[in-house]
Amino acid sequence: RRTTTTAAMPAAAAAAAAMAAAAAAVALAAAGVARAQFPSGFVPGVLTPAPPGPTLTFTGVVANDFPVAHVEVQRVDDVAFPDVGLPDLIKDSAPAGVTKISGYDIEYITYYYDRATDELHVGVKCFTICGDADDNGDAGTTSPELVLLGGVDYANFAQTESMLVAMDLAGGPGGVPDGALDIIVGYPAGEAVGSDAFPCASLPGGDPLDKRCFGVYLFGSTRIQQPQFQFRWNNTSPVLPHPATDHNPDPAAAAPDLEWTVSDFNALRTKVGAAPIDRTGNAPWSINMLAFAGSFGDDGIGEDNLPNGGLL
């Protein structure tokens, strides 16, 4: 399933969406182009800088922090209902009237490019606490039911537990997306084929494979690996390292979502061969994306892909 969200320019009243079959495409809006109703003083064919976009505050609640009604904030929905499977033993442990939902179940992804700061902000909205595999209210502990099944809900996005967003920024004519993913942001579950050791491998105790490994990586080149194993580090790459911030590395009931910022986004785009974004807000631009959440250590709990597709 390929989800395409085309952000309306100010002339348009709503975004257009289309479905296809590979990665999700997100067209992020320009905020100040020609309008169907020209404002007073507007000269057709003459573009002026768009009004400033919103300033975000990160609280760990994507629905509050990303104003999706704003034309420059884009939302990419997964299916409208929880679709990550849970074993019956876990589902049956819920109190009467309560439905267990895995914290790997993504409801939607939001994107906002802040033209003033050259930052791409990404929000991952889960149906419950992101990373709380068994929905026991704590993303860092394992419920008795999951223990009985032989599974583990790893704390700190450790071991095989991963949540990520991958992006296709360039490769097509004129530096537009070409359908091949370029970078990946999030928590890796392992190294891609051909990867150098992750920078977090130098931390005490060796490679922790947890939230401390969060960052921007190259997307792996093989198609036989699932996305959580497509994080590739290259010590000689001109793309890496690249700065990114994890605003909520410890999701909890009061702050259940993931919020990430990729800094110097135009510099990153330039490094991978993408055309820079017009920071006046006059030109639309687009990316293709893929999101994943899941683990191989949680015996019987499913994974989530957006779009739904499994192997790349």
Side-chain angles (χ1 to χ4, degrees):
R1 178 166 61 87
R2 184 172 200 162
T3 305
T4 303
T5 303
T6 302
M9 299 180 192
M19 306 284 283
V26 184
L28 299 173
V33 225
R35 307 181 183 200
Q37 301 295 327
F38 297 126
S40 176
F42 181 87
V43 181
V46 177
L47 301 177
T48 58
T55 299
L56 304 192
T57 299
F58 300 104
T59 67
V61 183
V62 165
N64 295 340
D65 300 343
F66 286 77
V68 295
H70 193 281
V71 68
E72 293 187 84
V73 179
Q74 292 301 294
R75 168 173 163 166
V76 183
D77 289 287
D78 199 3
V79 293
F81 51 85
D83 62 346
V84 172
L86 284 169
D88 288 341
L89 186 62
I90 293 177
K91 290 190 291 185
D92 294 344
S93 69
V98 175
T99 300
K100 290 278 189 179
I101 302 173
S102 174
Y104 300 150
D105 215 324
I106 298 172
E107 185 176 355
Y108 60 83
I109 307 289
T110 54
Y111 294 87
Y112 168 55
Y113 174 66
D114 188 327
R115 292 178 284 106
T117 61
D118 190 27
E119 295 174 318
L120 180 70
H121 304 298
V122 180
V124 181
K125 170 70 169 68
C126 301
F127 282 100
T128 184
I129 301 170
C130 288
D132 183 8
D134 48 13
D135 194 17
N136 70 339
D138 187 340
T141 63
T142 305
S143 65
E145 294 77 20
L146 186 54
V147 171
L148 283 173
L149 293 168
V152 179
D153 184 359
Y154 293 108
N156 302 317
F157 297 99
Q159 302 300 315
T160 63
E161 189 167 306
S162 176
M163 297 191 78
L164 63 90
V165 172
M167 304 180 210
D168 165 25
L169 304 178
V176 300
D178 64 351
L181 295 164
D182 298 301
I183 65 162
I184 187 167
V185 183
Y187 313 111
E191 297 171 354
V193 172
S195 176
D196 291 327
F198 292 163
C200 55
S202 62
L203 295 173
D207 193 342
L209 275 182
D210 63 18
K211 65 184 181 182
R212 293 172 292 173
C213 294
F214 169 84
V216 175
Y217 294 75
L218 300 173
F219 192 84
S221 59
T222 65
R223 294 183 176 273
I224 59 173
Q225 290 180 295
Q226 290 191 334
Q228 68 270 38
F229 301 110
Q230 293 279 14
F231 289 74
R232 183 165 63 90
W233 190 264
N234 186 321
N235 291 325
T236 61
S237 169
V239 177
L240 303 174
H242 193 85
T245 302
D246 184 358
H247 297 285
N248 190 32
D250 300 298
D257 304 321
L258 299 176
E259 297 178 324
W260 303 332
T261 294
V262 179
S263 302
D264 302 327
F265 191 57
N266 261 344
L268 176 62
R269 291 175 61 84
T270 299
K271 288 190 287 186
V272 300
I277 298 167
D278 174 14
R279 292 178 64 181
T280 69
N282 282 310
W285 60 282
S286 67
I287 61 174
N288 296 327
M289 57 78 63
L290 175 145
F292 171 86
S295 171
F296 284 167
D298 52 22
D299 197 26
I301 299 176
E303 289 79 44
D304 205 3
N305 291 274
L306 196 173
N308 294 325
L311 295 177
L312 301 176

